[in-house]
Amino acid sequence: MELELERIKWVAFCESLQGARLTFPFGKEASVMKLSDKMFALIHFHKGVLFVSAKCEPERAERLKEEYRSIVPGYHLNKTHWISLMYDGECDVPDELVKAILENSYQLIFAKLSKQKQNAVLFSNQD
């Protein structure tokens, strides 16, 4: 139950980002967070472990993987450009850093959107 609460917390955090939306292209087990039509986070369970995956600059990803046991190359994603945070009962990554990683992923995706799509995000109405 504790890991399910972690999943809910990170999905809710991602949904709070302007224009972000929750999708389920891989089934209800995998929460895919998108900005426009691009994924910026994948939050899912595999064999009792919660994975929170995000896009990351390769150099930053290497530093994070060296510093934190719970940060590994992107699970089922491009290992150069994605990292995964593993919650297997404990996670040595502070919540503030998880938020920063997810926000960074969001910004990386936002920067790659066309100006028209960026404007659609910026002017989207979040309730």
Side-chain angles (χ1 to χ4, degrees):
M1 184 64 181
E2 184 177 317
L3 290 179
E4 177 61 19
L5 293 176
E6 284 293 318
R7 186 192 69 76
I8 292 168
K9 174 174 71 176
W10 296 124
V11 167
F13 174 77
C14 289
E15 285 184 305
S16 75
L17 300 172
Q18 183 75 23
R21 62 188 174 82
L22 173 60
T23 66
F24 298 97
F26 309 121
K28 288 290 181 191
E29 303 80 36
S31 301
V32 176
M33 303 307 306
K34 288 189 173 185
L35 181 61
S36 188
D37 57 345
K38 304 286 185 192
M39 179 173 74
F40 73 91
L42 172 61
I43 304 168
H44 73 285
F45 286 101
H46 181 70
K47 296 184 179 180
V49 176
L50 175 64
F51 289 88
V52 177
S53 301
K55 195 167 180 92
C56 190
E57 300 90 339
E59 310 79 34
R60 184 176 188 205
E62 286 306 315
R63 286 193 310 272
L64 289 168
K65 288 185 287 188
E66 289 172 8
E67 191 170 344
Y68 296 95
R69 172 195 71 80
S70 299
I71 297 181
V72 298
Y75 183 76
H76 281 299
L77 297 161
N78 180 308
K79 308 278 189 247
T80 302
H81 297 282
W82 287 80
I83 56 173
S84 293
L85 291 81
M86 292 186 343
Y87 288 84
D88 54 0
E90 60 181 78
C91 181
D92 63 341
V93 183
D95 280 2
E96 289 306 311
L97 181 56
V98 178
K99 288 179 184 177
I101 288 169
L102 290 168
E103 286 174 341
N104 181 64
S105 181
Y106 171 93
Q107 289 299 327
L108 289 171
I109 297 302
F110 182 83
K112 295 286 186 180
L113 297 177
S114 68
K115 290 293 180 199
Q116 182 180 13
K117 288 183 178 181
Q118 286 180 354
N119 284 333
V121 169
L122 291 173
F123 297 107
S124 65
N125 187 8
Q126 292 259 306
D127 295 330

